[in-house]
Amino acid sequence: MRLAGKMVVLCVTGGIAAYKAADLTSKMRQAGAAVRVLMTESATQFISPMTFETLSGYRTVVDTFDRNFAWEVEHISLAKAADVFVIAPATANVIAKAAHGIADDMVTTTLLATKAPVVVAPAMNTGMYDNPVTQQNLQTLRERGFHIVDPAAGHLACGDTGRGKLPDTPTLMHGIEKALTPQDLRGQRILVTAGPTQEAMDPVRFLSNHSTGKMGYAIAARAAMRGAEVTLVSGPTALAAPEGVQRVDIISARDMYDAVISRADRQDMIIKAAAVGDYRPAEIAPEKLKKGDGELTVALARNPDILAELGRRKHPGQLLCGFAMETQNLLDNAADKLRRKNCDMLVANSLRDKGAGFGTDTNVATLLFADGRRETPPLMSKEDLADIILDRLLAMQQAQLN
Ligand code: CTP
């Protein structure tokens, strides 16, 4: 989480979802952010300022009639110090005021003064949310560059069912982090594959590998955070789908082939981090295989090579990034793979390197490029390596355009 060291001004306005802002405060603080809470008077009817004071470690600023000079200075200094300004929950009222520049309390005067990115998380009754005036106000805010975190649909406190629920904390944190992240991949369609494949032998057994999917998931998460439209074709893993990513679940290499090839044409970048099984049992036994006394020989059939097929189909302007995991002759094998499969870039991992390999949170890899360049970034988190991979692909794309 990249909220560490950031100064977040969190404005809590008066709706029943105000209690959820307490969890948000706590989680942001745990992520290393300094959280300064401002509340409207009506918000204090739903939750006590003391709750936020305890969770944030700072005095909660509440709009009061006895505002004095010091408070006025405080709101301007908070507006200046904020790295990001968050209104969660945002009532229809505060959204309307923000859209029209009305500044009549601590929250709205501070908002008007800030130059920080603003994240608005609407939460209200469905009728109020769907009302054209609220929608128009939200549209005005979007056009002014505010980041709107759309409400979830479901059961609402008023008994209605529909859109208007404040999203859960991870979704809010994702929206806040996104507002702090340059959207340099906006408009790009990126397909990422991740995880192992499973090749069935019989109804209870399969052949697979040790991939956990962490590298591919990190790439998908960072690409979405940087604004790309991301499809993640994933084999079976224990990982949750990253926020803002469309995940397509597959089991076998042939499933992955179908899922990837059917979506390939419309992608700007395809990054194949999955550990695809090269072979599958030639026959899937319809019933469980029973053991005998002697050896069991299983005939294996070749799976299609998805990356090679993508290399054949690649259209001008599309970038293809493969991965190679080797135990020997890493760079020679990788260079050969890059050429054979018509990739623009190949990320070569050695299973023998400390800090690399299956299930780790770090990776060391050598990036090989089609023009012969090579780069070996130091040992770093899979997320940081994901950013470097995306940076290099973006640079290649920009170089092609010029
Ligand atoms: N890959 C693929 N389809 C396969 C096998 C591999 O798309 N059936 C992709 C992987 O996602 C990875 C790259 O190919 O991006 C390299 O995988 P690897 O198994 O190392 O490559 P192979 O060409 O199968 O090499 P080897 O000769 O080492 O078996």
Side-chain angles (χ1 to χ4, degrees):
M1 182 49 76
R2 280 139 205 255
L3 282 172
K6 300 293 182 201
M7 151 67 157
V8 184
V9 171
L10 172 63
C11 300
V12 182
T13 65
I16 184 63
Y19 77 94
K20 293 187 183 171
D23 185 52
L24 178 62
T25 304
S26 168
K27 296 286 167 22
M28 288 198 292
R29 192 176 177 195
Q30 285 171 41
V35 186
R36 303 294 299 264
V37 179
L38 303 185
M39 296 177 79
T40 57
E41 265 219 277
S42 60
T44 65
Q45 303 292 311
F46 292 93
I47 183 165
S48 158
M50 179 74 85
T51 305
F52 293 108
E53 227 150 81
T54 312
L55 293 172
S56 71
Y58 289 102
R59 189 162 52 94
T60 301
V61 181
V62 183
D63 189 50
T64 55
F65 287 116
D66 62 2
R67 246 186 298 166
N68 54 34
F69 181 67
W71 289 88
E72 284 296 331
V73 169
E74 177 146 18
H75 92 258
I76 295 296
S77 68
L78 282 180
K80 281 189 185 145
D83 290 307
V84 61
F85 200 94
V86 182
I87 311 180
T91 57
N93 187 40
V94 79
I95 289 167
K97 286 193 208 172
H100 294 91
I102 295 170
D104 63 352
D105 60 14
M106 196 61 76
V107 166
T108 47
T109 45
T110 315
L111 174 64
L112 206 57
T114 194
K115 291 194 169 70
V118 182
V119 179
V120 175
M124 64 197 75
N125 162 272
T126 304
M128 293 169 80
Y129 180 70
D130 287 338
N131 191 308
V133 73
T134 305
Q135 287 303 317
Q136 203 168 9
N137 287 335
L138 283 169
Q139 190 51 29
T140 302
L141 295 183
R142 267 189 207 100
E143 283 162 13
R144 286 207 199 111
F146 283 47
H147 303 261
I148 312 295
V149 180
D150 292 329
H155 174 80
L156 301 173
C158 53
D160 285 356
T161 302
R163 296 191 297 171
K165 274 168 80 81
L166 188 69
D168 57 14
T169 304
T171 306
L172 293 172
M173 302 245 307
H174 172 80
I176 296 164
E177 201 187 331
K178 201 166 172 182
L180 285 163
T181 306
Q183 298 296 287
D184 57 352
L185 294 175
R186 183 179 288 144
Q188 306 266 357
R189 278 191 285 246
I190 303 183
L191 186 144
V192 183
T193 70
T197 58
Q198 289 180 356
E199 309 297 331
M201 277 176 72
D202 71 9
V204 293
R205 303 178 179 96
F206 56 78
L207 297 180
S208 190
N209 58 63
H210 291 298
S211 169
T212 57
K214 282 185 178 172
M215 190 66 233
Y217 274 59
I219 295 170
R222 291 305 304 160
M225 187 62 85
R226 291 169 60 170
E229 194 185 306
V230 181
T231 307
L232 174 62
V233 178
S234 172
T237 73
L239 303 173
E243 285 287 338
V245 164
Q246 196 212 340
R247 186 170 74 175
V248 179
D249 291 317
I250 56 89
I251 304 282
S252 71
R254 284 186 296 174
D255 295 342
M256 183 174 276
Y257 181 92
D258 292 341
V260 170
I261 298 297
S262 63
R263 292 172 173 82
D265 277 357
R266 67 185 103 105
Q267 307 299 328
D268 299 301
M269 298 177 188
I270 303 181
I271 305 172
K272 285 232 63 218
V276 185
D278 288 323
Y279 293 92
R280 65 178 183 276
E283 310 256 343
I284 303 177
E287 305 298 337
K288 185 184 165 196
L289 292 167
K290 302 300 284 181
K291 65 177 161 298
D293 291 333
E295 289 181 350
L296 171 69
T297 304
V298 181
L300 300 178
R302 267 298 302 268
N303 275 329
D305 190 320
I306 308 166
L307 186 58
E309 181 59 26
L310 291 169
R312 280 190 284 276
R313 291 165 173 253
K314 193 166 66 170
H315 59 69
Q318 187 180 59
L319 291 174
L320 187 56
C321 172
F323 272 67
M325 161 85 69
E326 306 282 351
T327 55
Q328 54 187 356
N329 301 333
L330 174 68
L331 295 180
D332 288 346
N333 283 336
D336 181 50
K337 219 166 269 185
L338 172 87
R339 203 172 18 78
R340 260 191 300 121
K341 303 199 186 191
N342 193 22
C343 294
D344 300 282
M345 180 171 140
L346 198 119
V347 182
N349 286 289
S350 167
L351 198 52
R352 304 281 184 238
D353 280 338
K354 211 168 168 297
F358 297 118
T360 56
D361 290 321
T362 54
N363 205 351
V364 225
T366 298
L367 313 184
L368 294 91
F369 301 91
D371 63 5
R373 277 179 304 129
R374 290 180 184 182
E375 176 185 356
T376 308
L379 176 74
M380 58 179 67
S381 71
K382 287 185 171 170
E383 293 230 315
D384 287 343
L385 183 62
D387 270 330
I388 290 186
I389 292 168
L390 292 165
D391 289 346
R392 299 301 176 268
L393 288 169
L394 188 60
M396 265 193 272
Q397 190 188 57
Q398 280 160 357
Q400 280 182 1
L401 289 175
N402 293 328

